[in-house]
Amino acid sequence: MKRSIKLDRLNRRILTFLQNNARISNIDLANDVGLSPSACLQRTKALEEAGYIHSYLTVVNLNKICENVTAYLDITMNHHEQPTLRRFEKAVKAYGNIVDCMRMSGGSDYMAFCVCSSVAELNELCEELLGQDLGIQRIDTRIVMDTPKWMGGYPLDDLRWRDGGDEEE
């Protein structure tokens, strides 16, 4: 069971620093947030155990290592019953080249981000998804031409935190 911890000013600073550099040493992190290394490590482990840290991730530069096509798939479903949506969501998790999928409001039901080796492979992926009994009505594909800004973390300093305050520890 995940324990609950308070998101005080120090815990928020730890999350912000880790999001910007997950490889930071505990000693450097402790110095940056103003804690002893042991207190910082305790807080970081508590944040992990409480589920505030989802994972640590290295983002590779795909263009340096392989030929690739990245695309967003706008997926519209035939029906919106829970069994259909669960079946679709379970199937999407099995595709390694679908790296992100979100349920959306608006014109389409899901937005999936995928990476393929070629446009032909992307087309095969879409055809395979449409060919299964997943309740998909339509897939609109948007191939990424360039990435002027990549996901660099959430704007934690600009968002309102659930605890709402900046209480002292």
Side-chain angles (χ1 to χ4, degrees):
M1 183 170 143
K2 294 184 180 181
R3 54 181 256 220
S4 177
I5 62 170
K6 187 164 186 64
L7 287 176
D8 62 23
R9 181 180 53 82
L10 289 172
N11 283 339
R12 292 193 302 262
R13 289 193 68 192
I14 289 170
L15 290 172
T16 299
F17 277 99
L18 284 174
Q19 177 179 253
N20 293 328
N21 180 7
R23 290 179 48 108
I24 191 171
S25 71
N26 183 60
I27 291 172
D28 289 341
L29 179 60
N31 286 334
D32 288 341
V33 300
L35 287 170
S36 70
S38 62
C40 185
L41 186 59
Q42 277 184 317
R43 283 177 174 262
T44 301
K45 292 209 176 293
L47 288 164
E48 290 171 354
E49 291 169 6
Y52 291 108
I53 297 173
H54 185 267
S55 65
Y56 294 92
L57 178 70
T58 298
V59 180
V60 299
N61 185 343
L62 276 181
N63 294 327
K64 290 266 188 189
I65 61 174
C66 65
E67 294 294 322
N68 66 86
V69 173
T70 55
Y72 287 93
L73 307 179
D74 288 322
I75 301 168
T76 304
M77 305 298 288
N78 284 321
H79 307 285
H80 297 97
E81 292 86 16
Q82 285 303 310
T84 301
L85 300 179
R86 282 194 298 271
R87 187 172 64 246
F88 168 78
E89 291 172 6
K90 181 179 179 185
V92 163
K93 290 176 184 176
Y95 285 89
N97 53 352
I98 297 177
V99 297
D100 195 14
C101 185
M102 298 165 279
R103 189 163 178 209
M104 309 295 288
S105 65
S108 59
D109 297 303
Y110 290 91
M111 174 76 70
F113 181 65
C114 64
V115 179
C116 296
S117 295
S118 65
V119 173
E121 186 179 293
L122 174 61
N123 189 47
E124 289 173 19
L125 169 66
C126 293
E127 288 178 359
E128 186 173 329
L129 288 169
L130 287 166
Q132 296 182 49
D133 181 27
L134 300 177
I136 299 173
Q137 176 184 342
R138 184 179 75 245
I139 299 176
D140 294 322
T141 306
R142 300 191 184 343
I143 294 177
V144 175
M145 303 298 288
D146 191 14
T147 309
K149 182 178 181 181
W150 187 252
M151 166 67 164
Y154 297 109
L156 296 179
D157 291 335
D158 300 332
L159 297 173
R160 187 174 328 137
W161 293 71
R162 288 194 188 276
D163 65 20
D166 196 22
E167 305 84 19
E168 290 302 313
E169 299 67 42

